[in-house]
Amino acid sequence: MTRFVTRLMIVYTLVTIVLVSGIVFYEKHQQSERRHPRKSLYVVNLTADTLSVYITGNYTKAEKRTMTDKPDEDDISARSTATPYSWHDHIENRASSFRIPHKSGQDIGFPENFELHIDGTKHDVVIGRKQFYDLIGNDLQRNSWIIYITPELLTLFNNN
């Protein structure tokens, strides 16, 4: 009988250690996520049209090797609809938003083949990585960027 009780106590102790370790690990992960929010791109539509906005691009192995902050995923493709923007609402409610798969505030870089696609009734525009960097000001350490889509911007990129 004492052997059974001893084994039961050992099993109980091991299960308790595993559960407590799991809870501690989960809490640390949650705190890390709150401290280092994922990077976000907001595309604010200042035109009268409803635009479909999506991003494409994937990291090559060579690009990932040189990064200090490795992306969670290779592919950053996403699609969203940018509704007309009202200055009285929050950006998140009236714009396309995309999560970029990086966690911290380090300089991340976007894939060489990164493109921002804007499809509308009057304009279909593809903005490459260099033009995208010009729009966000090349500040790649920030956790979020906002690009304002204006009729002038669509005309400018549509002519290139």
Side-chain angles (χ1 to χ4, degrees):
M1 182 71 173
T2 55
R3 246 190 226 165
F4 175 74
V5 172
T6 305
R7 288 181 184 162
L8 191 61
M9 290 299 290
I10 290 172
V11 169
Y12 174 78
T13 304
L14 289 174
V15 168
T16 303
I17 290 171
V18 168
L19 285 175
V20 169
S21 298
I23 290 170
V24 168
F25 175 78
Y26 177 76
E27 284 299 314
K28 284 188 177 187
H29 176 72
Q30 291 299 94
Q31 288 174 359
S32 174
E33 284 293 309
R34 284 190 291 275
R35 245 190 334 270
H36 303 291
R38 293 182 184 276
K39 295 175 182 292
S40 299
L41 167 64
Y42 299 103
V43 181
V44 179
N45 181 12
L46 296 179
T47 73
D49 298 332
T50 298
L51 304 173
S52 174
V53 181
Y54 61 101
I55 57 177
T56 59
N58 57 317
Y59 295 100
T60 63
K61 288 182 181 178
E63 287 173 327
K64 284 181 78 170
R65 236 187 331 267
T66 61
M67 292 179 178
T68 53
D69 183 21
K70 305 287 188 251
D72 298 336
E73 306 149 17
D74 293 337
D75 188 13
I76 60 171
S77 300
R79 181 175 294 271
S80 183
T81 300
T83 57
Y85 180 66
S86 166
W87 288 106
H88 303 291
D89 292 333
H90 294 287
I91 289 171
E92 294 83 352
N93 295 334
R94 305 296 290 168
S96 295
S97 69
F98 302 99
R99 302 284 290 234
I100 309 300
H102 288 269
K103 291 180 185 169
S104 70
Q106 296 179 5
D107 187 341
I108 64 166
F110 286 83
E112 186 69 39
N113 63 353
F114 177 88
E115 291 180 335
L116 173 66
H117 302 260
I118 304 166
D119 296 340
T121 50
K122 297 177 184 165
H123 301 282
D124 290 339
V125 174
V126 178
I127 298 173
R129 186 173 83 160
K130 181 184 177 315
Q131 297 163 324
F132 176 77
Y133 282 171
D134 292 342
L135 288 175
I136 66 172
N138 287 323
D139 187 358
L140 302 176
Q141 294 184 353
R142 297 177 54 191
N143 281 329
S144 64
W145 302 274
I146 301 173
I147 292 179
Y148 296 98
I149 304 297
T150 62
E152 296 80 20
L153 183 80
L154 291 176
T155 304
L156 173 71
F157 285 115
N158 202 24
N159 291 336
N160 290 341

